[in-house]
């Protein structure tokens, strides 16, 4: 696999779904387009670091989708191609784009998939257990030799169907990602602050709660950090926002190999940056034309939109309102 200049540092190992998604939003629709948690997260991570994917696809999975991953120098030897139909997900969003309505989940080849981690992946230091059956997340962890950072994600489908396994995965993870509705559902509370405490009591030192167009919160032992979402005039398709966030987050950490709180905060903003680009178009379309300078530019804008001064009553600064 070619080593790209923009993918220095450690590599990211991602396990999760590879999907053919059919999605309808108020701004359009796609049928059987490239999707899946592992795909969004690996492609987002690949803007910062090398990425390796573990997953399964059926014989109907278009060859050009794998070629696209390879064109981003993503290592695909951990993707098993097996007889049968690929995983499919169908969903709809209404005007509240934070709320995905699942119409169909067809596990297909995922029903009897067991991940086999290639030898070359076993020493991976940065691991993202993207949305997939939590039993499979555990099987992946069981095959690794001492990862430095394990991040896990999940969704309501698994919280409702395999709650105990979700909690077991949390017990083996350093950082947990969840969206606000999932955190409330898992923890049985309306308060995200309390939910973060419950999530952290299961094991992870850090809980990151994504709030869609309202940004993301990161809770650690002693602080919490709030990042805004980028204010976009038009969101075409929110599918994959969470995975793009996670991919940008872990990709940046792997590249810098620095787990200080300061750097985690930067990673949250890089995650938000990648998510904000992804939702500008359907499927992976925006990522196909996204450039590194665009990412840097938007990161700076994030700083700008959330910057404010220290408390200082004496300096009114730039005057916005001129009252008579
Ligand atoms: P999100 O970042 O939460 O919007 O993730 C969207 C992706 O998750 C879609 O591309 C779907 O293919 C995938 N997905 C949906 N349901 C599941 C599931 N039960 N297990 C694994 N992946 C799923």
């Amino acid at each position: 696999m070619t080593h790209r200049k923009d993918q220095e540092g450690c590599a990211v190992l991602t396990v999760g779904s590879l999907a053919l998604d059919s999605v309808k939003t108020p701004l359009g629709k796609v049928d059987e387009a490239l999707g899946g948690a592992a795909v969004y997260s690996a492609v987002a991570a690949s803007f910062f670091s090398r990425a390796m994917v573990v997953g399964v696809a059926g014989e109907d999975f278009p060859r050009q989708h794998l070629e696209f991953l390879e064109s981003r120098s993503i290592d695909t030897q951990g993707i098993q191609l097996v007889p049968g139909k690929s995983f499919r997900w169908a969903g709809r969003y209404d005007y509240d784009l934070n709320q995905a309505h699942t119409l169909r989940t067809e596990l297909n080849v995922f029903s009897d998939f067991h991940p086999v981690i290639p030898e070359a992946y076993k020493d991976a230091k940065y691991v993202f257990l993207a949305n997939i059956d939590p039993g499979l997340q555990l099987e992946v962890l069981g095959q690794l030799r001492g990862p430095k950072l394990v991040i896990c994600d999940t969704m309501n489908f698994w919280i409702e169907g395999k709650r105990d396994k979700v909690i077991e995965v949390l017990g083996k993870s350093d950082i947990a990602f969840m969206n606000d509705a999932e955190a409330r559902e898992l923890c049985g509370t309306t308060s995200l602050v309390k939910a973060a405490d419950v999530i952290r009591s299961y094991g992870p030192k850090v809980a990151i709660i994504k709030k869609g167009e309202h940004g993301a919160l990161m809770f650690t032992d002693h602080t919490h950090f709030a990042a805004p979402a980028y204010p976009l005039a038009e969101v075409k398709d929110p599918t994959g926002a969470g995975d793009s966030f996670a991919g940008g987050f872990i990709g940046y950490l792997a590249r810098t190999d620095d787990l200080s709180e300061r750097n985690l905060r930067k990673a949250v903003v890089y995650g938000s940056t990648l998510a904000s680009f992804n939702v500008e178009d359907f499927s992976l379309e925006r990522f196909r034309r996204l450039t590194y300078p665009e990412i840097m530019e938007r990161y700076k804008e994030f700083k700008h939109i959330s910057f404010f001064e220290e408390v200082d009553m004496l300096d009114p600064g730039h005057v916005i309102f001129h009252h008579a």
Side-chain angles (χ1 to χ4, degrees):
M1 196 59 49
T2 32
H3 182 90
R4 296 164 50 138
K5 183 91 193 75
D6 55 350
Q7 298 176 326
E8 284 169 352
C10 300
V12 171
L13 168 61
T14 288
V15 56
S17 51
L18 289 100
L20 297 175
D21 285 344
S22 298
V23 178
K24 192 164 185 293
T25 80
L27 293 185
K29 69 186 192 91
V30 283
D31 284 314
E32 308 224 324
L34 174 61
V39 173
Y40 281 108
S41 55
V43 173
S46 74
F47 285 96
F48 299 111
S49 63
R50 283 170 296 125
M52 309 175 276
V53 180
V54 170
V56 65
E59 58 208 341
D60 55 356
F61 200 71
R63 178 68 222 163
Q64 76 260 26
H65 292 341
L66 296 175
E67 284 165 3
F68 167 57
L69 297 182
E70 283 153 12
S71 76
R72 297 225 33 96
S73 298
I74 294 171
D75 191 322
T76 57
Q77 60 170 308
I79 298 176
Q80 295 176 30
L81 290 173
V82 300
K85 283 178 78 180
S86 298
F87 174 86
R88 280 170 171 73
W89 178 74
R92 186 195 84 224
Y93 300 83
D94 299 328
Y95 278 92
D96 177 2
L97 294 169
N98 285 334
Q99 180 67 47
H101 302 279
T102 293
L103 303 173
R104 260 188 344 269
T105 301
E106 293 175 25
L107 294 177
N108 298 331
V109 289
F110 264 103
S111 317
D112 34 38
F113 165 62
H114 290 283
V116 179
I117 309 293
E119 196 49 39
Y121 293 11
K122 288 190 176 164
D123 291 311
K125 292 282 166 257
Y126 286 81
V127 178
F128 178 48
L129 305 173
N131 184 18
I132 193 179
D133 184 326
L136 298 178
Q137 294 176 322
L138 291 168
E139 284 183 34
V140 169
L141 279 186
Q143 295 175 58
L144 300 179
R145 294 187 279 251
K148 179 170 179 178
L149 184 81
V150 176
I151 304 182
C152 69
D153 195 3
T154 191
M155 72 179 293
N156 52 359
F157 186 85
W158 304 113
I159 294 173
E160 286 153 24
K162 300 201 170 180
R163 187 189 162 80
D164 291 350
K165 289 271 181 228
V166 168
I167 292 175
E168 199 178 329
V169 173
L170 288 170
K172 294 178 190 286
S173 301
D174 302 296
I175 302 184
F177 279 135
M178 235 165 266
N179 74 29
D180 43 4
E182 290 153 3
R184 290 188 173 106
E185 181 170 354
L186 178 73
C187 305
T189 169
T190 52
S191 156
L192 294 181
V193 177
K194 287 187 185 154
D197 280 347
V198 175
I199 292 169
R200 295 198 320 106
S201 76
Y202 292 135
K205 277 185 104 55
V206 178
I208 296 188
I209 300 186
K210 301 163 288 177
K211 300 188 300 160
E213 62 177 334
H214 306 298
L217 298 171
M218 175 168 70
F219 296 86
T220 66
D221 278 344
H222 47 281
T223 64
H224 81 260
F225 172 62
Y230 186 75
L232 287 169
E234 189 175 88
V235 171
K236 277 199 181 153
D237 175 13
T239 309
D243 304 310
S244 304
F245 179 101
F249 178 89
I250 195 169
Y252 178 74
L253 289 180
R255 184 196 183 111
T256 51
D257 199 18
D258 169 358
L259 297 179
S260 63
E261 167 134 13
R262 194 165 167 266
N263 208 45
L264 289 183
R265 288 184 176 213
K266 290 173 76 175
V268 167
V269 178
Y270 278 113
S272 306
T273 302
L274 269 295
S276 74
F277 280 114
N278 172 59
V279 302
E280 289 180 357
D281 209 340
F282 283 87
S283 181
L284 277 288
E285 292 312 309
R286 185 62 179 94
F287 281 168
R288 289 179 196 271
R289 42 179 212 275
L290 181 62
T291 63
Y292 195 67
E294 284 180 296
I295 295 174
M296 293 306 129
E297 195 47 45
R298 189 163 289 180
Y299 179 91
K300 284 191 213 149
E301 286 181 60
F302 262 96
K303 179 154 175 60
H304 196 68
I305 59 176
S306 48
F307 175 80
F308 58 90
E309 301 284 354
E310 291 286 336
V311 176
D312 179 0
M313 305 300 283
L314 298 177
D315 175 14
H318 176 69
V319 177
I320 296 180
F321 299 108
H322 295 275
H323 297 296

